[in-house]
Amino acid sequence: MHPHCKPMRSLTWLIVLLFAARPLLANSFGPETFYNSYVGAKSDSERIYHLGNLAGYYYAIREDATADSIVEKQIMLAEETRNRNWILAAHFNNPRYILLGTVTRNSQNIVTKEASATTLSYIERALSYARAIRDDEHIAQGYTLLSLFYLREGEFEQAMKYANHSYSTAIITNNDSLKATSALWLGCVYKNQKNMLMAYKHYSHAFDIANDTRHPVLLPLVYHYFADLYAKMGKKEEAIDYLYKSIELNKINHNSQGLVNDYLAMGIFNDYTIAMEYLDKAETLANSTGDLFGVIEARKFRFSYKLFQGNVNEPLQYIDNNPVLKHVWEKTGPNYFDWIMAEVYYYGGKPELAHPFFKAALPSLDRHYNIHIKQRFFGELATYYRDIDSIPQAISMFEKTMAMCYTTSSTNHLMNTMNDLSKLYYLKNDYKTAYDYKAKYMNFRDSVNAIAKEEDLAALEIDNLNKKRQKDVELQALEETRRHNIQYMVITLCIAAIFTALIFLGFFPVSRIMIRILGFFAFILFFEFIILIADHKIHHMMHGEPLKIWLVKIVLLSMLLPLHHVLEEKMVHFLNSKKLVSWRQRFSAKKLMLAAVSHLRRHEENRAVAEPHSPESNSK
């Protein structure tokens, strides 16, 4: 996978859903549509909303300065309304936050130090306003954004601190979705610190909340976090299983943006052929819904696959055929596109053509970008010098990379860098330094293997916890089914009792109008029960498609309604029939009572006659 598209230590698409992303609601990606919507808006709230969409367009194509000016205008307009909800929306729905990166849209986080400073300024302004009005929910969101920012910058202690602040603030609110998302993000920070067990526990807590509330967006989001965790543990099949669950839910709920994220993630976790199919789906769906960020992300992933095919012409042609993608890379930061071109020639088998591009990119990448991006660049440049047998330059780049690996705690990268330095110093005939690096490599490898064993134990515990959680979910589902069956039985008994009472009512002199009214309500209950039973199956069979469900229900009602009238007429006719009247006259309650009284009198008379002739009276 291309280093610029590699799944990173970053927020999942949760932050896009809750804090930042708005789908770009247009069939074309030109800014004219958004600007015209803004000009034609009839209220301040509409103007604020359309300004956010316009800013999102410019952020997507990395015209950050233009987008920032639009965001400032949006915030100013929101503050003029003095409406707290719109001011909060302008601060916390800032599309610039998308550039922080997500699990499924991770290539958005290539930004310069200057851009990072601007993003931090916006987050602090948003958090400051939330604190001023004492809005705990938005304070928690602000802490999450700060945690995401510092995690991307490689400041893990700060990231953990603000993730804990977010979680502790969220739990004192009544917002279950916020509690779940804060737990997810705290788990994500633990995951990036390689504490997989704590990450899993927080994800499981978020799952319990999402599953209880049946949140149509939150539950697929939790599945993405689980998929990312299992991918980090090297369990690709389990990761894909979770993504399929997310796809199923998003299809049922018609969540197009969620499906774009699903397809992008499937493009990461699958092999070339299947990945390209899912990336095509992601781009097509994103294009149909006006999601420019999704379109660009899908194209970046597709380019990353083409980059490593060993053919220089294919990625070059792809760049020429995608001017928007080229524009994004050129606007990402100083000389970033030079790095892209260096990779095209290096991985395309023409390293001699890559050298001038690497050379042009080196000063800017070293000066303007954060440590994660620099670590990847210098690591790649060191490998390039090693492959062309430029040993002194390779050693210099590897040593810079090693220093950054210590800062970012990139253990595997650090271990491999030590091994490469040992080999290079050996080729340089500096055997002492080669031996020192080899010893460091061996010691570090032993430490990594020890950590790996601990991670294996954590993985086993996670598997056990996962099995227990799945069993709990199954038991909960069985309990819910049992509870529903009991309710269905109660309803059935009630309807049966009502019809039985209605039939017995026919033995009493009741007016025709009363019988018709009671019969109407009895059949209403009966047919509504039929619709209740059919409703769930209809939704499942039609996959939640509103048009199909509507048509099926029309057909069902067109059959049930005439049947309702026919059965109701039959019931009323039966209860008022001459035969039932004759039965009622023959077996009326009054006659039955008189017959019973007469029988009792005869019994008493017979008993009185028989008493003088009893044996007791004779003995006396």
Side-chain angles (χ1 to χ4, degrees), residues 68-84:
D68 288 341
S69 65
I70 295 172
V71 167
E72 290 295 339
K73 185 172 183 178
Q74 182 194 33
I75 292 173
M76 182 178 68
L77 181 59
E79 289 177 347
E80 289 176 355
T81 66
R82 305 314 303 160
N83 185 310
R84 287 187 176 183

Side-chain angles (χ1 to χ4, degrees), residues 297-532:
E297 191 74 8
R299 292 181 183 180
K300 285 181 178 180
F301 282 133
R302 190 181 289 110
F303 172 79
S304 71
Y305 280 108
K306 295 180 181 296
L307 187 64
F308 294 101
Q309 297 303 307
N311 180 2
V312 71
N313 294 323
E314 194 170 353
L316 284 175
Q317 184 178 1
Y318 192 78
I319 292 173
D320 290 339
N321 293 337
N322 288 276
V324 173
L325 192 58
K326 181 180 179 181
H327 176 85
V328 168
W329 281 328
E330 289 175 339
K331 292 293 184 178
T332 294
N335 298 102
Y336 181 77
F337 186 64
D338 288 324
W339 183 12
I340 297 292
M341 293 303 296
E343 290 180 317
V344 169
Y345 288 113
Y346 173 38
Y347 296 113
K350 294 186 177 181
E352 68 281 359
L353 297 178
H355 185 264
F357 291 103
F358 272 127
K359 186 177 180 180
L362 176 58
S364 296
L365 265 294
D366 191 21
R367 185 182 306 116
H368 294 288
Y369 295 84
N370 69 32
I371 190 169
H372 289 295
I373 300 170
K374 289 197 294 184
Q375 177 184 318
R376 281 151 41 194
F377 174 76
F378 281 106
E380 190 172 67
L381 184 56
T383 305
Y384 165 77
Y385 280 129
R386 182 198 64 191
D387 291 346
I388 64 173
D389 297 325
S390 183
I391 295 176
Q393 290 87 345
I395 289 174
S396 175
M397 295 300 108
F398 272 125
E399 286 179 340
K400 283 189 174 183
T401 304
M402 185 175 67
M404 286 182 277
C405 286
Y406 275 116
T407 303
T408 60
S409 301
S410 303
T411 53
N412 290 327
H413 196 178
L414 178 59
M415 184 174 65
N416 294 330
T417 301
M418 289 176 177
N419 192 35
D420 284 324
L421 283 169
S422 175
K423 294 176 180 179
L424 289 170
Y425 274 109
Y426 182 83
L427 293 174
K428 195 181 176 183
N429 298 324
D430 188 346
Y431 302 116
K432 182 181 182 303
T433 307
Y435 176 80
D436 290 341
Y437 274 114
K438 192 67 174 180
K440 288 180 180 179
Y441 165 73
M442 298 295 289
N443 291 332
F444 201 78
R445 187 183 64 179
D446 292 339
S447 299
V448 170
N449 289 337
I451 294 173
K453 290 180 181 179
E454 293 178 2
E455 290 179 351
D456 290 339
L457 292 174
L460 288 173
E461 189 168 353
I462 287 173
D463 287 339
N464 291 332
L465 289 172
N466 189 38
K467 290 176 183 177
K468 182 179 181 300
R469 181 177 61 79
Q470 289 179 351
K471 186 176 181 180
D472 291 340
V473 171
E474 290 173 1
L475 290 174
Q476 184 179 359
L478 288 173
E479 175 61 25
E480 184 177 347
T481 302
R482 188 187 69 83
R483 189 172 66 253
H484 289 175
N485 289 338
I486 291 174
Q487 293 176 12
Y488 285 138
M489 183 61 68
V490 170
I491 295 172
T492 303
L493 292 174
C494 289
I495 293 174
I498 290 171
F499 274 100
T500 303
L502 190 62
I503 292 172
F504 275 104
L505 195 64
F507 288 95
F508 297 92
V510 181
S511 68
R512 185 182 181 88
I513 295 176
M514 180 60 68
I515 292 175
R516 182 175 291 277
I517 292 173
L518 294 175
F520 171 79
F521 281 108
F523 279 105
I524 280 289
L525 294 174
F526 175 67
F527 285 108
E528 281 299 320
F529 182 50
I530 293 176
I531 294 173
L532 174 66

Side-chain angles (χ1 to χ4, degrees), residues 126-180:
L127 186 56
S128 176
Y129 180 75
R131 284 170 174 162
I133 63 173
R134 298 181 181 180
D135 188 322
D136 288 333
E137 292 186 7
H138 285 87
I139 290 172
Q141 293 181 17
Y143 285 144
T144 301
L145 288 170
L146 280 176
S147 177
L148 169 60
F149 174 83
Y150 284 115
L151 188 64
R152 190 198 64 184
E153 295 296 312
E155 299 183 32
F156 298 115
E157 291 183 3
Q158 290 288 89
M160 179 59 76
K161 181 181 82 170
Y162 284 113
N164 277 304
H165 285 348
S166 174
Y167 184 67
S168 60
T169 305
I171 61 178
I172 65 175
T173 69
N174 295 321
N175 190 330
D176 287 335
S177 296
L178 183 62
K179 294 174 185 177

Side-chain angles (χ1 to χ4, degrees), residues 39-57:
V39 172
K42 301 184 182 302
S43 65
D44 288 336
S45 60
E46 290 181 5
R47 280 188 280 273
I48 292 168
Y49 174 77
H50 291 303
L51 281 174
N53 283 337
L54 184 60
Y57 168 84

Side-chain angles (χ1 to χ4, degrees), residues 254-285:
H254 307 286
N255 183 358
S256 58
Q257 191 176 21
L259 281 172
V260 171
N261 289 314
D262 291 333
Y263 296 149
L264 288 173
M266 293 295 280
I268 296 173
F269 294 142
N270 281 287
D271 296 330
Y272 180 81
T273 304
I274 299 176
M276 296 302 280
E277 291 178 2
Y278 275 109
L279 292 176
D280 287 339
K281 286 184 178 181
E283 182 174 351
T284 301
L285 183 57

